[in-house]
Amino acid sequence: MDLSAWNLPSAFPDLAGPARDEALAELCDRRQTLLLATPYLTFASRFVAIDKGAILVRATMSRSVAAHTLDRKDLQLRFPWGLTHYGGPTRILEYVQEEGGKHLRLALPQVLRRMEQRKAYRVDYVGRCQGTLGSDDGEGGMVFARFNVENLSTTGMAVFCTDPLPGRNFVPGRRVSAQFSLERGPDLETNVQVIHASGQSLGLAFLDLDPIDGQALASWLQPRFTEALRRWDNRAALRAQAVKAAAPRPAPQGLLVLGGEPDVIAEIQQALEGAQTVRVVPPVLVPLREALDQAPPRLLVVPCEGSVEGCHRLRSLLEKCPPRCPIVVLAAGGQRGTVNLFAQEIRAALTTDRAGQHPLFFRRLVTGLIRRHWQDPEAP
C-alpha cells in the first residue's frame, strides 16, 4: 500500500447519491460504531437502519441531553470507512423510545466526506502493543499510566489506559511523554499531545517522533496497512459469506458418496432404486465442505478399498470437515481388517460390503439408519 496516496483526492472520494446510500446500508448491516459530535462533546453510538429517508442510530443519552446538547446546527456524524473516517452534518429529527430500546432518527447528510484528523491511514489490528504515559504532576514529580494501543498510524494512536487517570494530567491539549513497544517490532519513545479523552480512552498525536523511529514505525505498519486494505477490498465477499452462514440450513436429503469408483457408485444407485437421491463428491476438502454446507446429506457413504494410504487420506479429510450425519463405510476392497479399523477411527455408524453384493439388504440398511438417526418414520 502506497502511503503517499494519502493526499490524493481519488483515494477518498466523496460519497453522494447511490454511493452514499450503499455505504450507509453497509454500515447499518454490520452495526458500525459512530460518533455524534459537537465542537464540545461527542457521544458514541451505532448505526441501526435506514428508516423512511433518515438514519436510525442507538440513543446513548437521555431525551433531555439529546434536546439540549445535540440539537445544534453544528452536529456532525462521524464513522470509520476505508481505513480512515468519513462524516457529514446532520440533525436530530426525532428521539424514539420503544420497547426495543432508545433511538435517534437523524437527517441524511447530502454528502459524506473524509473527516480525518490524523492525516494518515489507521491500522486497527495491531496485536499486543503496550506502553506507558508520563505526565508532570505540577509538584516536581511524574504521574504514569499504562496503556494498550487500540489503533495506530504514523501520526498518532488511540490507546486504552489500564491504570486510573488522574483528573488534570491527561486532558485534551496536554503534552505528555509516551513509551511503547510494538508487537514483534521496535520500542519507541516520543512526546504526544492528548487530542481527545473519553473515560480511559485517549487519542494521542505524535509531536516530535525521531525520524529513525518514524521510519521504523512506518516499516512496521506497512504490511499491516496492506492486510487492512485487503480486508477492506474483500469486505463484500466476507459479508456474503456471513449472510450465507447466517441463513437457515436446508433440510438434509439423500446420500452423499465420498469418492469411489464408477462401478461402486453405480451399484449404490441401483440398490437404492431411486429411494434416495445420490450425489458424488471427490475426496477433496473444498468440494466436500461445499457439498455438506449447501445441501447436507442424510447419510455419508465412504467407499474404502483398505489401503493404509487411502484410509489415512480419508480420515484426515473427515477430521477437517466432519459431517453432521451418520457415516457408512463401504468395504470396496479385500483388506477388510484395515477397513474395519478405519471405520472405528472415524466413528462410522456401520461398515458393510459393496451394495451390489446384497442390494436389498443395503437399501433396507440405509432406510433404517436414516429413520433412526433423523427420527423420520416416513423416510423412504
Side-chain angles (χ1 to χ4, degrees), residues 224-245:
R224 291 161 178 83
F225 282 133
T226 303
E227 175 61 19
L229 182 61
R230 185 193 65 80
R231 284 196 302 268
W232 175 255
D233 290 340
N234 292 341
R235 71 191 189 283
L238 295 175
R239 285 180 65 203
Q241 292 176 7
V243 171
K244 181 180 177 181

Side-chain angles (χ1 to χ4, degrees), residues 117-118 133-134 155-159 169-178 190-197 202-208:
Q117 296 181 358
R118 292 195 200 174
L133 296 175
T155 59
M157 59 183 173
V159 304
N169 295 95
F170 299 98
V171 295
R174 184 87 175 200
R175 294 168 61 101
V176 299
S177 62
T190 185
N191 291 322
V192 298
Q193 184 174 15
V194 180
I195 302 301
H196 60 82
L202 302 176
L204 307 173
F206 300 142
L207 294 179
D208 47 13

Side-chain angles (χ1 to χ4, degrees), residues 111-255:
V111 180
L112 297 171
R113 294 187 171 91
R114 180 179 60 170
M115 298 178 65
E116 177 59 75
Q117 296 181 358
R118 292 195 200 174
K119 307 302 180 188
Y121 292 105
R122 302 176 182 220
V123 171
D124 293 315
Y125 299 94
V126 295
R128 188 177 178 84
C129 298
Q130 299 175 314
T132 304
L133 296 175
S135 176
D136 186 353
D137 65 0
E139 299 178 357
M142 295 288 291
V143 176
F144 297 98
R146 291 170 295 180
F147 64 82
N148 295 323
V149 179
E150 295 197 321
N151 67 58
L152 184 62
S153 67
T154 54
T155 59
M157 59 183 173
V159 304
F160 181 84
C161 296
T162 55
D163 292 329
L165 295 178
R168 295 183 298 175
N169 295 95
F170 299 98
V171 295
R174 184 87 175 200
R175 294 168 61 101
V176 299
S177 62
Q179 296 177 332
F180 58 101
S181 300
L182 303 178
E183 185 180 70
R184 299 180 182 178
D187 297 334
L188 303 177
E189 182 175 354
T190 185
N191 291 322
V192 298
Q193 184 174 15
V194 180
I195 302 301
H196 60 82
S198 177
Q200 298 293 104
S201 298
L202 302 176
L204 307 173
F206 300 142
L207 294 179
D208 47 13
L209 187 63
D210 184 271
I212 296 178
D213 288 345
Q215 183 58 48
L217 174 60
S219 298
W220 186 87
L221 286 171
Q222 183 69 49
R224 291 161 178 83
F225 282 133
T226 303
E227 175 61 19
L229 182 61
R230 185 193 65 80
R231 284 196 302 268
W232 175 255
D233 290 340
N234 292 341
R235 71 191 189 283
L238 295 175
R239 285 180 65 203
Q241 292 176 7
V243 171
K244 181 180 177 181
R249 294 174 62 87
Q253 58 181 347
L255 272 67

Side-chain angles (χ1 to χ4, degrees), residues 157-376:
M157 59 183 173
V159 304
F160 181 84
C161 296
T162 55
D163 292 329
L165 295 178
R168 295 183 298 175
N169 295 95
F170 299 98
V171 295
R174 184 87 175 200
R175 294 168 61 101
V176 299
S177 62
Q179 296 177 332
F180 58 101
S181 300
L182 303 178
E183 185 180 70
R184 299 180 182 178
D187 297 334
L188 303 177
E189 182 175 354
T190 185
N191 291 322
V192 298
Q193 184 174 15
V194 180
I195 302 301
H196 60 82
S198 177
Q200 298 293 104
S201 298
L202 302 176
L204 307 173
F206 300 142
L207 294 179
D208 47 13
L209 187 63
D210 184 271
I212 296 178
D213 288 345
Q215 183 58 48
L217 174 60
S219 298
W220 186 87
L221 286 171
Q222 183 69 49
R224 291 161 178 83
F225 282 133
T226 303
E227 175 61 19
L229 182 61
R230 185 193 65 80
R231 284 196 302 268
W232 175 255
D233 290 340
N234 292 341
R235 71 191 189 283
L238 295 175
R239 285 180 65 203
Q241 292 176 7
V243 171
K244 181 180 177 181
R249 294 174 62 87
Q253 58 181 347
L255 272 67
L256 181 65
V257 182
L258 182 59
E261 297 296 328
D263 58 333
V264 175
I265 297 169
E267 289 178 0
I268 294 173
Q269 293 173 329
Q270 292 172 5
L272 293 176
E273 296 182 345
Q276 297 286 339
T277 58
V278 178
R279 293 178 294 137
V280 182
V281 63
V284 182
L285 181 60
V286 174
L288 175 60
R289 179 177 289 128
E290 291 178 350
L292 292 174
D293 289 342
Q294 295 174 3
R298 289 185 163 192
L299 210 63
L300 178 65
V301 179
V302 183
C304 179
E305 82 284 359
S307 70
V308 174
E309 181 181 353
C311 290
H312 175 73
R313 184 176 66 254
L314 290 171
R315 182 173 62 252
S316 300
L317 184 62
L318 293 172
E319 286 175 351
K320 294 177 182 177
C321 191
R324 300 181 180 180
C325 65
I327 301 175
V328 174
V329 174
L330 212 60
Q335 303 182 42
R336 187 59 182 265
T338 307
V339 173
N340 290 339
L341 179 60
F342 164 70
Q344 292 176 8
E345 291 174 338
I346 65 171
R347 298 182 179 180
L350 59 88
T351 307
T352 185
D353 295 322
R354 288 177 57 160
Q357 297 183 15
H358 308 284
L360 179 60
F361 174 74
F362 181 79
R363 184 167 65 252
R364 290 178 175 176
L365 195 66
V366 166
T367 301
L369 265 178
I370 291 175
R371 286 178 176 175
R372 184 168 67 250
H373 180 80
W374 298 104
Q375 298 181 355
D376 183 5

Side-chain angles (χ1 to χ4, degrees), residues 43-55:
F43 291 88
S45 182
R46 285 186 182 275
F47 287 95
V48 175
I50 302 299
D51 178 44
K52 299 177 181 178
I55 307 172

